[in-house]
Amino acid sequence: MSTLLLSLETSSPICSIALHRMETGALVGQSELRLEKSHSSHLSVLINQLLENSLHTLADLAAVAVSDGPGSYTGLRIGAAAAKGLCYALDIPLVAISTLQSMAHQVASVTARPEQFLFCPMLDARRMEVYAALYQCTGAEVLAPAPLILDADTLAEQLAHQSLLFFGSGAAKFQALVAEHPRAGFLTGIEPSAVAVGALAVEAYRRQDFRSVAYYEPFYLKEVYTTTPKAASLPKKG
């Protein structure tokens, strides 16, 4: 009987995979490679090595979960293609978990009195832009994933009423703007992880919250602004 969930997290420069037991949600093993642009060439190797090291095979997989985005366009495409390929070949379900929600779960699960906070993962986009969302400790969505342009008034309404914890690759840019705010807390070292994706994916599997293997596409969440090329200057008439 297939009893394992394989999770893939490729939305960031870290290539991360994890195995969870479907019945208990217990973590069986994980593997990460912190090497730029390594996803396409190393993802399948990491999967095979983790299965072998945990004394399992692909036949033991009951489902595959993938980090849904936002994040690196190329990374998300590679993760989605690998997950869909495995699901199609093994005839098993595909689960997709929001990258930002999995990061919030990662932090909330180790935070003392988490009900006192809202959790705000921020992924660096460009300049003063981030991809961000707000979650309660239960995982309930307060603010849907969106591109935000940061200034001193960003999330001012939420900060006026409740303490927020900020983390992720884009949080440092915001910290420079609101460092003195009494309700803004900042955590370092929090990165997307297949372990957090897998923890939420086990719950999604039990709800039978599956995606179409044929038609699934990651949630890329494009940036709101694009650069407009400058008009070329015309030569002056003589």
Side-chain angles (χ1 to χ4, degrees):
M1 180 179 177
S2 302
T3 60
L4 297 180
L5 172 80
L6 171 67
S7 300
L8 313 179
E9 166 53 76
T10 58
S11 68
S12 77
I14 301 171
C15 187
S16 172
I17 66 172
L19 283 173
H20 286 81
R21 295 207 181 279
M22 198 67 76
E23 319 88 70
T24 63
L27 178 66
V28 175
Q30 61 176 308
S31 182
E32 289 186 349
L33 185 62
R34 296 168 179 261
L35 186 64
E36 289 281 349
K37 300 180 180 179
S38 63
H39 299 32
S40 60
S41 56
H42 291 87
L43 182 57
S44 61
V45 176
L46 289 180
I47 293 170
N48 291 331
Q49 286 179 345
L50 182 56
L51 286 168
E52 182 179 345
N53 291 341
S54 61
L55 304 179
H56 289 287
T57 68
L58 288 173
D60 296 319
L61 299 182
V64 178
V66 65
S67 181
D68 188 42
S72 160
Y73 179 83
T74 301
L76 290 171
R77 285 185 62 192
I78 292 170
K84 291 168 69 173
L86 286 168
C87 289
Y88 180 80
L90 300 171
D91 192 24
I92 56 178
L94 172 67
V95 180
I97 300 296
S98 164
T99 304
L100 296 175
Q101 186 177 21
S102 71
M103 293 176 68
H105 172 79
Q106 182 185 160
V107 173
S109 64
V110 295
T111 299
R113 298 188 294 276
E115 67 280 356
Q116 297 183 0
F117 302 94
L118 291 179
F119 297 85
C120 186
M122 286 184 165
L123 295 177
D124 192 18
R126 61 172 191 173
R127 301 188 184 94
M128 291 305 290
E129 294 179 56
V130 296
Y131 300 138
L134 274 181
Y135 299 94
Q136 296 176 350
C137 63
T138 59
E141 188 179 274
V142 177
L143 179 67
L148 297 181
I149 301 192
L150 300 176
D151 58 36
D153 294 323
T154 300
L155 299 174
E157 181 179 347
Q158 290 81 0
L159 283 167
H161 299 97
Q162 189 167 1
S163 295
L164 272 64
L165 288 179
F166 299 93
F167 44 89
S169 59
K173 296 193 293 191
F174 191 47
Q175 185 174 12
L177 299 171
V178 296
E180 303 302 319
H181 198 293
R183 291 197 176 98
F186 291 86
L187 304 175
T188 59
I190 307 299
E191 299 165 326
S193 167
V195 175
V197 170
L200 293 180
V202 168
E203 299 174 8
Y205 180 90
R206 292 170 181 166
R207 299 191 306 268
Q208 296 193 330
D209 183 7
F210 305 140
R211 301 295 185 92
S212 166
V213 174
Y215 299 107
Y216 169 71
E217 289 289 337
F219 180 52
Y220 295 116
L221 189 58
K222 299 294 187 182
E223 294 158 326
V224 277
Y225 294 119
T226 57
T227 301
T228 303
K230 293 182 179 179
S233 57
L234 298 175
K236 294 181 181 179
K237 294 182 179 180

